[in-house]
Amino acid sequence: YFSSIVETVKLNVVHSVVYVYGSVPELPLKEEVIREIKKLPDIRGVVDLLSVRIPGDPIPDDELWRAVLRILEDHDSPFFNCEIQVRDGILKLNAYYTSGSDFRTTIARLRHIQGLRDAQFEIEEVGAPPPHMRHVADMLRVKMKLDKKAKMDQRLRIIPMADGVLVEGSVKSMLQKSLLNIFIARAAKGVRIDTRIRIDNSLGEI
């Protein structure tokens, strides 16, 4: 099944526990190897000592960090209040998601980032927001689309919470961030709106 890596992956079985050694070229393949080994009959456990060795020069951590951020800021991502750390090709993500959200698809996308050696997730589920907060978030999205000053190069998500709305994502400049904060303050109308806005110079020009 794994004929392409038979020379780089070694197994050692001790008292029905399988020790997996060696290396593979990408993280999803490593996880698939371990998953298939766990399906073997008559084993009591698997000790994962398998490493990911990326062919060629390693991808810098800051590039991996930006690749992670682009996925997390996608509108399909269920995660919010994310804390991202990438060090030596290893991703550590702390984040929240709303109950009922499909978080597995986003995790799979993160694991498939080229150059990641490992990925560790600490994610916590929070309750679904009440319907009226969903309505508030929907209305804020509509207002943002119609407002000329709010329509700028950005990767923003508007997330309904239990007691307010969270606006998070990236804009190109401090000016855009200031304009966005003014727009949010005017649009709030008594609703609590928290913001987590990053500045990303790689976004297009206004």
Side-chain angles (χ1 to χ4, degrees), residues 15-159:
H15 302 304
S16 299
V17 175
V18 182
Y19 292 78
V20 189
Y21 302 90
S23 64
V24 293
E26 60 182 15
L27 180 58
L29 181 56
K30 170 187 173 177
E31 295 174 340
E32 188 175 2
V33 168
I34 298 300
R35 188 164 52 247
E36 291 300 319
I37 291 173
K38 289 180 177 179
K39 295 178 182 179
L40 296 174
D42 303 322
I43 65 170
R44 295 191 299 111
V46 175
V47 178
D48 177 10
L49 301 174
L50 198 59
S51 63
V52 176
R53 297 188 181 277
I54 311 297
D57 295 331
I59 298 176
D61 287 342
D62 60 341
E63 290 187 22
L64 293 173
W65 187 91
R66 285 194 291 271
V68 170
L69 183 61
R70 282 193 293 272
I71 291 174
L72 293 175
E73 288 186 343
D74 189 285
H75 287 281
D76 292 331
S77 170
F79 295 118
F80 57 92
N81 281 343
C82 301
E83 299 295 337
I84 308 165
Q85 177 182 325
V86 180
R87 182 174 298 172
D88 298 327
I90 299 174
L91 165 65
K92 294 182 179 179
L93 173 66
N94 295 306
Y96 297 87
Y97 69 96
T98 303
S99 58
S101 302
D102 175 19
F103 63 87
R104 292 179 177 82
T105 299
T106 300
I107 285 183
R109 290 181 63 194
L110 292 170
R111 291 186 185 279
H112 278 79
I113 292 175
Q114 183 64 37
L116 275 187
R117 295 176 47 241
D118 200 359
Q120 303 167 12
F121 301 97
E122 291 288 340
I123 58 176
E124 183 175 336
E125 180 182 11
V126 299
H132 73 278
M133 280 303 169
R134 292 182 183 274
H135 176 71
V136 169
D138 290 340
M139 293 303 296
L140 185 58
R141 291 189 192 98
V142 172
K143 290 180 181 179
M144 189 171 292
K145 288 180 179 179
L146 295 176
D147 189 281
K148 292 182 178 180
K149 291 184 178 180
K151 289 173 64 177
M152 47 190 151
D153 296 303
Q154 54 183 273
R155 294 194 302 265
L156 295 176
R157 296 188 304 142
I158 301 173
I159 305 165

Side-chain angles (χ1 to χ4, degrees), residues 1-8:
Y1 185 74
F2 297 108
S3 58
S4 63
I5 57 171
V6 68
E7 297 296 327
T8 61

